[in-house]
Amino acid sequence: MTVPVRVRFAPSPTGKVHAGNIHTAIFDYLWARHTGGTFILRIEDTDVERKEAGAVEHMMEALKWLGLDWDEGPGVGGPYGPYYQSQRLPLYKAAAEKLVADGHAYYCFCSTERLEAMHQQQEANKQLTGYDRACRNLTAEECKAKESQGIKSVVRFKVPLEGQMTIHDLIYGDISFDYKNIDDFVMLKSDGYPTYHLANVVDDTAMKITHVIRGEEWISSTPRHLLMYQAFGYTPPQYIHMAMIVGADRAKLSKRRGAISILEYRDMGYLSEALFNFLVLIGWSLDDKTEIMTRQQIIEKFSLERMGRTAAAFNQDKLDWMNGVYIRNLPFDDLADRLLPFLDRYLPPEVKRPLDAVYVKEITPLIKERIITLKEAAAYADFFFLDNLTHDAAKFVDKKTDAATALKALKSAEEKLSALDDFNRDQLETTLRSLAETLGIKAGQLFNVLRVAATARDATPPLFETMAALGQDRCLQRIKSAIAVLSKN
RNA sequence: GCCCCCAUCGUCUAGUGGACUAGGACAGCGGCCUUUCAAGCCGUCAACAUGGAUUCGAAUUCCAUUGGGGGCACCA
């Protein structure tokens, strides 16, 4: 009989969540959903110094945006709360005291200054850095004496002086460590807060976590955690260390190095489905060719066996491509709904708000294949919304078409188009193709001139559809203004 | 300095001793399509870090080397 899987994503609220953090969360989520287990969110706010206001909210917003809904944790509660470590302080204190009582840990009264000096000396002598265990063998009386002098203490774990241990990781396999390379680490800080080491062991046990999924950077502290499980007499969870996502410089992602926050991707107009799919493919693959998968497919096919061990770089070009694929696969209405807020925010201020949602739906098919992010739609399609365009005379001229020809073409077009009673796509095509013939120029030449007149751009969606969407009045008015500009030269 | 991990095209990856003259994708390049731009389609460039060992046979196993990364806090 297998125990139901319980995994937790345990971020510390010290900044904005980036791809590296969320990558772990995604795999926590996948493992939980794949197995029908429970996905827990736990906030590791045990560093009073580094704690940042709003970080938890930011975190939760990012998780929600990506659809990583948690079954237990802040906002939803659960039977093993509270899910903020800062609200579980008595638990850690009791656990630390128990280990002291059992002889597995001890109080350390060393000052920060002493520790720093020791560390510097060790580095200068190129020695192994780590606590020198000065307080390891303090007697109860000595401890009392220090305490009565008002000296603050921390609790350190008594790491065996010799021997070794092997940890088993579901991805990396067996890894061995010598105890002699592990120092007596701090479990409980002098401010009464636990360190990550203590807190995660206490909470993972209390919350019945079965699998610890975390970044590869934790491998080297896993022996400490295992040592604590042994000392407590707890059964440790299974470990799943994941290869990290690295930056272009191949170093661990961090906000200091300019890692982009996940919500920024949302604000840049990436679809959460695309980012999810993209992030899943970093460190995991289904086979040798499948890339675009729905969330359901991913959950269903997910397996630990297919996870890689190599750190991977975030390839923005590929994300762009994938986002384009997702945009193109979206139904028009859905895309239009998602486009609306971006257009609203990024279209020039002179465009009247609120935007006409029906009109947005109308032009959506025209830009769908041409944008890779939602945000860029505003810059790409502004001419659909602007009342007045500024024409650049140079744009009307190219190798095939000189200014005089362009001017003549525009004048004839204005005449023809004002006579049209139905300004639809097909009418426009018939009218303009025959006009080109009459003028004795290539259809493409005429179209390009009109394109520039109607949009002030030389790269736009197909001309007839564009003009039809713009409508007769606006097209004629723009052609007039184009004629004016060209006549000046 | 010490400990640990990793190593296939520029990037993400497939590959678990023979089907590999190493597959896919992004990017790049070339072409087709075409009223522009895209999209689409076709093609092309491009990798098993190095050296040993094991084996009839290694991208795949083992050992070194090199390179990269991570850890060594009263941070997580």
Side-chain angles (χ1 to χ4, degrees):
Chain A
M1 132 114 208
T2 52
V3 184
V5 165
R6 289 176 58 82
V7 293
R8 85 307 197 262
F9 175 53
S12 65
T14 55
K16 291 186 172 160
V17 57
H18 54 67
N21 309 134
I22 218 72
H23 190 232
T24 319
I26 286 177
F27 284 82
D28 272 309
Y29 168 88
L30 286 177
W31 185 229
R33 293 292 172 265
H34 175 76
T35 56
T38 307
F39 176 43
I40 297 144
L41 175 62
R42 184 174 74 215
I43 307 299
E44 310 231 327
D45 51 350
T46 55
D47 187 339
V48 183
E49 298 266 307
R50 295 202 310 153
K51 205 170 185 168
E52 266 184 30
V56 173
E57 291 69 24
H58 174 92
M59 169 86 255
M60 298 201 286
E61 198 179 337
L63 289 171
K64 282 181 192 160
W65 178 59
L66 278 166
L68 305 178
D69 46 299
W70 55 101
D71 307 306
E72 290 176 26
V76 298
Y80 300 96
Y83 293 90
Y84 283 84
Q85 291 188 325
S86 59
Q87 294 169 19
R88 304 169 63 83
L89 264 23
L91 257 42
Y92 312 124
K93 182 164 187 282
E97 280 168 357
K98 178 177 187 298
L99 286 199
V100 172
D102 294 349
H104 289 296
Y106 59 93
Y107 293 102
C108 167
F109 298 87
C110 294
S111 67
T112 314
E113 295 71 42
R114 192 187 97 76
L115 260 17
E116 262 168 26
M118 175 196 74
H119 198 267
Q120 269 174 23
Q121 181 119 47
Q122 287 167 337
E123 278 191 343
N125 297 347
K126 303 209 177 223
Q127 281 174 310
L128 191 128
T129 55
Y131 181 56
D132 62 4
R133 299 183 158 120
C135 296
R136 189 188 240 228
N137 298 310
L138 253 32
T139 63
E141 289 70 39
E142 287 170 316
C143 287
K144 271 239 165 63
K146 301 244 188 199
E147 244 173 78
S148 61
Q149 287 172 49
I151 304 177
K152 291 253 196 180
S153 65
V154 301
V155 177
R156 288 182 184 273
F157 188 86
K158 246 183 224 182
V159 175
L161 272 6
E162 50 188 35
Q164 61 162 217
M165 87 147 49
T166 298
I167 67 167
H168 181 72
D169 182 271
L170 262 29
I171 291 173
Y172 287 91
D174 291 337
I175 306 168
S176 299
F177 297 85
D178 284 328
Y179 291 143
K180 67 171 196 283
N181 293 315
I182 306 172
D183 75 344
D184 289 352
F185 57 93
V186 173
M187 299 164 51
L188 198 67
K189 306 182 225 177
S190 58
D191 62 3
Y193 278 75
T195 59
Y196 169 84
H197 304 301
L198 208 219
N200 101 87
V201 168
V202 168
D203 288 344
D204 286 344
T205 302
M207 297 179 182
K208 298 195 160 52
I209 299 303
T210 58
H211 299 257
V212 167
I213 301 177
R214 57 171 33 160
E216 180 204 353
E217 69 265 33
W218 289 105
I219 288 180
S220 45
S221 44
T222 305
R224 301 170 185 213
H225 305 153
L226 251 13
L227 241 17
M228 293 174 78
Y229 279 102
Q230 279 172 20
F232 282 123
Y234 298 152
T235 308
Q238 302 261 55
Y239 287 100
I240 296 170
H241 287 96
M242 300 197 348
M244 296 180 300
I245 293 188
V246 295
D249 57 355
R250 296 245 117 212
K252 182 176 164 182
L253 238 41
S254 75
K255 69 173 167 181
R256 259 200 57 112
R257 298 183 117 95
I260 303 175
S261 110
I262 285 299
L263 258 17
E264 275 182 65
Y265 285 100
R266 177 193 63 185
D267 299 340
M268 288 188 286
Y270 289 92
L271 306 187
S272 80
E273 303 94 305
L275 189 61
F276 180 84
N277 192 156
F278 175 75
L279 251 14
V280 162
L281 254 20
I282 293 184
W284 182 80
S285 64
L286 173 61
D287 54 30
D288 58 343
K289 40 183 65 96
T290 313
E291 304 216 274
I292 305 293
M293 289 171 275
T294 65
R295 177 180 301 252
Q296 272 321 306
Q297 286 171 318
I298 294 167
I299 289 172
E300 197 177 305
K301 306 285 189 186
F302 182 71
S303 73
L304 261 22
E305 291 74 44
R306 296 199 61 85
M307 287 184 68
R309 272 158 297 172
T310 315
F314 191 101
N315 183 186
Q316 178 92 23
D317 279 340
K318 188 152 184 175
L319 205 216
D320 282 347
W321 162 77
M322 194 171 276
N323 204 56
V325 171
Y326 271 85
I327 284 179
R328 275 173 251 131
N329 287 343
L330 238 35
F332 291 135
D333 282 358
D334 191 350
L335 213 210
D337 288 345
R338 301 202 204 200
L339 243 19
L340 200 53
F342 281 90
L343 291 172
D344 184 59
R345 188 155 43 178
Y346 294 109
L347 243 18
E350 59 265 36
V351 173
K352 279 192 205 71
R353 311 297 203 279
L355 263 21
D356 180 353
V358 176
Y359 184 57
V360 170
K361 274 197 209 318
E362 196 185 331
I363 64 153
T364 295
L366 300 183
I367 63 173
K368 178 170 169 162
E369 288 177 353
R370 295 172 174 79
I371 52 173
I372 56 172
T373 64
L374 298 173
K375 181 179 174 177
E376 73 185 25
Y380 181 79
D382 60 355
F383 58 82
F384 279 119
F385 298 89
L386 257 7
D387 280 332
N388 299 302
L389 297 183
T390 310
H391 287 106
D392 172 5
K395 271 207 161 71
F396 292 93
V397 179
D398 62 26
K399 300 156 288 287
K400 290 180 194 158
T401 315
D402 58 25
T405 311
L407 187 56
K408 188 179 163 208
L410 285 174
K411 284 178 172 162
S412 317
E414 187 202 353
E415 197 186 319
K416 286 279 182 201
L417 294 176
S418 52
L420 270 186
D421 51 353
D422 191 357
F423 209 71
N424 66 34
R425 189 219 166 277
D426 292 344
Q427 281 279 0
L428 283 163
E429 174 154 23
T430 342
T431 310
L432 294 175
R433 281 197 190 280
S434 77
L435 175 61
E437 224 170 298
T438 317
L439 290 169
I441 59 175
K442 293 213 177 239
Q445 285 178 275
L446 206 219
F447 298 164
N448 283 339
V449 169
L450 279 169
R451 181 189 319 285
V452 175
T455 66
R457 302 288 182 86
D458 43 27
T460 75
L463 184 64
F464 315 128
E465 286 82 349
T466 300
M467 289 178 69
L470 250 18
Q472 192 164 24
D473 292 348
R474 270 198 293 180
C475 284
L476 288 172
Q477 170 221 319
R478 289 176 185 191
I479 290 169
K480 279 196 185 92
S481 119
I483 290 171
V485 168
L486 270 180
S487 302
K488 264 188 227 154
N489 294 48

